[in-house]
Amino acid sequence: MTHVKRGMFAMKEVILYMRENCCLCDEVKVLLDLLQSDHEFEMIEKDIESDEALLQRFMIEIPVVEIDGELLYYKEIDLISLRERLH
């Protein structure tokens, strides 16, 4: 589990694996932005094209969201599934 220390508690870290000019990635980013108002987490965007290993791993799979080590692929990502994993 990856958490970022903020004050007295650890904040969850959510990683969005994406690439520039990807409309599906933009949709997932909007969902995550919406959830940040109710759930405290740090969102980190990782452009897979800036890292050869990430590019090979996620080339046609993006967007992918990682929460507490669990990967969610695009077909699994919706507001409800993200909310459940952020609890």
Side-chain angles (χ1 to χ4, degrees):
M1 240 187 268
T2 305
H3 293 86
V4 178
K5 284 281 194 187
R6 293 283 160 89
M8 299 297 290
F9 64 95
M11 182 182 288
K12 285 189 184 222
E13 185 177 87
V14 175
I15 302 170
L16 172 59
Y17 296 98
M18 42 71 73
R19 68 171 25 122
E20 292 295 320
N21 300 314
C22 167
C23 61
L24 297 176
C25 300
D26 292 341
E27 287 177 18
V28 171
K29 186 175 184 308
V30 167
L31 291 177
L32 290 168
D33 286 341
L34 286 171
L35 287 167
Q36 275 193 311
S37 63
D38 295 329
H39 305 277
E40 289 209 30
F41 62 89
E42 179 181 16
M43 183 169 59
I44 299 169
E45 295 179 38
K46 291 194 177 183
D47 186 339
I48 65 168
E49 292 182 350
S50 66
D51 181 313
E52 187 62 34
L54 291 177
L55 183 60
Q56 291 301 314
R57 184 175 178 194
F58 297 121
M59 186 177 301
I60 60 172
E61 300 292 333
I62 60 160
V64 174
V65 174
E66 182 176 351
I67 302 172
D68 289 339
E70 180 182 0
L71 296 177
L72 296 171
Y73 294 89
Y74 182 71
K75 291 181 182 180
E76 304 168 310
I77 299 171
D78 59 39
L79 194 61
I80 294 168
S81 64
L82 289 171
R83 184 177 289 134
E84 287 173 354
R85 283 163 179 85
L86 288 168
H87 274 29

